[in-house]
């Protein structure tokens, strides 16, 4: 993991190390994997040079066996490998529960945004308001009669109004470019005028300058996470769009002038669902959007592998790591480690 940034304007600092707390990442995973911040140098024939990583393209949804054979072979040959691209390059369903739990530790404990991102996100969420609401990705395509497209912004607004949200509700829009642009947003804005995004919330100047690019996306994510209510509008079985098939005929009736009972019909559809509640992952849901049950331990499991760890798990792991290091296990560079003061669960 290359994370050395000599200056904030360095283009390399716009990646992982530009938005995530690298020291925290290394510290949390220190019991699982050895992480260095740069590739070490080698000395040969009296000359010192940096190891050049061999670029390797992992197949999409590769099994663990590919990394343990093909990738490992190349690493042994070249000393280091550079995996690219890396999105969806590991199979989501893995038989080994420990590997899935490692994913959980990475996603929910090790990955933490930098302080200025957390500060900006909290500034947005904690602005005085009656209600806080986060709506994400208002986009629209055809095929709506069969429930195969997201709702338009206006339709989202009508659903929210049917559920009891009035025009005093503050809505934070976390989205990229909207299909149809501002023309599609005017009806929604008329229903909910208190519409904001990370560029319009008027934070302090030093925070505003950090709200672009990847940082802006990170802020959007945190605001959604910290908000009282989060309502995703893109398609998928575990979110708002799960009800599109049932909502489509209701909106078609409304367009044809049949307005009577519209809000009651919407409420009946929306409230007769487990929307927002925990449920076991179902196809085609992704492990990364719904990690139930792998990332949830059990107090009294039938399978011992699902049992929650003891409360002093960090002390146990730390003693084990110290023991391994005392027996000749090569330790990570001390300067790269920061031991957390709070217990990571």
């Amino acid at each position: 993991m290359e994370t050395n940034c000599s200056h904030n304007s360095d283009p390399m600092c716009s990646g992982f190390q530009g938005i995530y707390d690298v020291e925290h990442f290394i510290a949390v995973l220190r019991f699982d994997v050895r992480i260095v911040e740069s590739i070490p140098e080698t000395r040969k024939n009296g000359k010192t040079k940096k190891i050049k990583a061999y670029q390797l393209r992992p197949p999409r949804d590769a099994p663990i066996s590919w990394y343990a054979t093909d990738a490992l072979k190349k690493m042994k040959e070249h000393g280091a490998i550079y995996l690219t691209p890396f999105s969806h390059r590991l199979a989501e369903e893995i038989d080994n529960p420990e590997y899935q739990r490692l994913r959980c530790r990475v996603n929910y404990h090790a990955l933490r945004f930098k302080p200025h991102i957390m500060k900006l996100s909290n500034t947005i969420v904690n602005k005085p308001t009656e209600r806080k609401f986060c709506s994400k990705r208002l986009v629209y395509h055809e095929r709506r009669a069969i429930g195969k497209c997201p709702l338009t912004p206006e339709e989202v607004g009508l659903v929210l109004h049917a559920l009891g949200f009035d025009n005093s509700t503050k809505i934070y829009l976390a989205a990229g470019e909207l299909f149809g642009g501002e023309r599609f947003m005017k009806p929604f804005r008329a229903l909910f005028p208190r519409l904001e995004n990370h560029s319009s919330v008027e934070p302090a100047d030093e925070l505003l300058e950090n709200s672009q690019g990847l940082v802006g996306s990170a802020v959007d994510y945190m605001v959604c996470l910290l908000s009282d209510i989060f309502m995703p509008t893109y398609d998928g079985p575990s979110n708002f769009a799960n009800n599109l098939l049932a909502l489509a005929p209701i909106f078609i009736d409304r367009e044809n002038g049949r307005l009577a009972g519209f809000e009651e019909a919407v409420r009946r559809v929306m409230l007769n669902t487990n929307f927002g509640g925990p449920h076991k992952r179902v196809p085609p849901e992704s492990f990364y959007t719904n990690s139930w049950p792998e990332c949830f331990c059990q107090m009294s499991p039938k399978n011992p592998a699902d049992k929650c760890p003891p409360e002093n798990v960090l002390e146990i792991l730390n003693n084990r790591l110290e023991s391994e290091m005392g027996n000749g296990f090569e330790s990570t560079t001390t300067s790269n480690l920061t031991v957390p003061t709070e217990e990571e669960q």
Side-chain angles (χ1 to χ4, degrees):
M1 182 177 68
E2 287 281 2
T3 61
N4 285 332
C5 291
S6 58
H7 193 274
N8 285 339
S9 61
D10 187 335
M12 289 298 292
C13 288
S14 62
F16 184 93
Q17 63 273 33
I19 60 174
Y20 290 111
D21 186 334
V22 173
E23 287 190 355
H24 176 79
F25 184 83
I26 293 173
V28 171
L29 297 177
R30 68 192 185 279
F31 303 117
D32 297 294
V33 62
R34 182 186 179 193
I35 300 174
V36 296
E37 295 190 53
S38 61
I39 298 176
E41 296 178 334
T42 59
R43 189 171 181 82
K44 188 176 182 181
N45 300 327
K47 295 181 179 180
T48 300
K49 65 176 184 177
K50 191 174 183 180
I51 297 175
K52 185 177 181 180
Y54 176 80
Q55 185 170 324
L56 187 61
R57 182 183 179 89
R60 186 179 177 88
D61 298 323
I64 292 292
S65 59
W66 182 86
Y67 290 93
T69 54
D70 296 51
L72 182 59
K73 179 182 177 182
K74 291 296 182 183
M75 181 179 287
K76 288 180 177 178
E77 286 179 11
H78 300 276
I81 57 174
Y82 172 47
L83 300 175
T84 180
F86 205 67
S87 177
H88 300 288
R89 299 297 147 175
L90 178 62
E92 292 202 10
E93 303 299 330
I94 300 176
D95 290 336
N96 189 320
E98 280 307 312
Y99 285 148
Q100 289 291 56
R101 290 195 186 97
L102 177 56
R103 274 177 164 169
C104 300
R105 289 192 287 276
V106 171
N107 291 347
Y108 303 112
H109 297 289
L111 288 174
R112 184 173 73 183
F113 291 125
K114 285 191 166 185
H116 69 277
I117 293 176
M118 303 300 294
K119 183 178 179 182
L120 176 54
S121 304
N122 278 288
T123 298
I124 293 171
V125 171
N126 293 322
K127 285 183 66 177
T129 180
E130 291 78 12
R131 289 174 176 168
K132 305 184 191 75
F133 183 86
C134 179
S135 178
K136 184 173 182 176
R137 285 215 175 274
L138 303 180
V139 292
Y140 181 66
H141 302 282
E142 294 301 325
R143 304 187 298 161
R144 64 185 281 249
I146 56 173
K148 292 295 184 180
C149 66
L151 301 175
T152 66
E154 180 181 17
E155 289 168 342
V156 172
L158 291 171
V159 171
L160 297 179
H161 190 269
L163 292 176
F165 295 95
D166 58 31
N167 62 5
S168 68
T169 304
K170 175 186 172 184
I171 294 184
Y172 181 92
L173 179 63
E177 291 296 321
L178 299 174
F179 182 85
E182 184 58 28
R183 177 174 62 87
F184 268 40
M185 285 305 300
K186 283 183 179 179
F188 184 87
R189 204 180 299 273
L191 289 167
F192 296 97
R194 301 187 65 187
L195 181 65
E196 296 180 340
N197 59 29
H198 65 247
S199 299
S200 65
V201 292
E202 298 180 0
D205 292 341
E206 64 271 18
L207 295 178
L208 184 60
E209 66 185 20
N210 290 317
S211 64
Q212 305 300 321
L214 288 175
V215 174
S217 298
V219 170
D220 284 346
Y221 174 86
M222 283 308 304
V223 171
C224 290
L225 185 65
L226 297 172
S227 293
D228 292 337
I229 301 170
F230 169 56
M231 186 79 76
T233 60
Y234 48 82
D235 56 347
S238 64
N239 56 42
F240 190 68
N242 190 33
N243 298 307
L244 288 179
L245 185 59
L247 289 172
I250 299 174
F251 280 106
I252 291 174
D253 284 347
R254 184 179 184 277
E255 289 178 358
N256 292 330
R258 294 186 287 272
L259 305 180
F262 170 78
E263 291 199 344
E264 182 182 347
V266 169
R267 283 194 294 271
R268 189 162 53 246
V269 169
M270 295 300 296
L271 298 178
N272 187 29
T273 178
N274 65 349
F275 172 62
H279 66 276
K280 190 173 182 179
R281 184 170 65 258
V282 294
E285 279 185 297
S286 165
F287 171 85
Y288 297 104
T289 56
N290 182 9
S291 54
W292 181 283
E294 293 93 341
C295 290
F296 296 81
C297 63
Q298 300 174 29
M299 299 301 293
S300 303
K302 293 180 180 179
N303 183 354
D306 296 329
K307 186 176 178 60
C308 290
E311 291 186 4
N312 64 335
V313 61
L314 284 186
E315 181 183 344
I316 295 172
L317 292 173
N318 199 55
N319 290 339
R320 184 186 303 169
L321 183 61
E322 289 180 354
S323 174
E324 291 174 345
M325 291 167 63
N327 290 332
F329 180 78
E330 188 177 2
S331 67
T332 54
T333 306
T334 347
S335 60
N336 286 342
L337 293 181
T338 305
V339 179
T341 55
E342 296 179 353
E343 184 178 18
E344 299 287 344
Q345 289 287 331

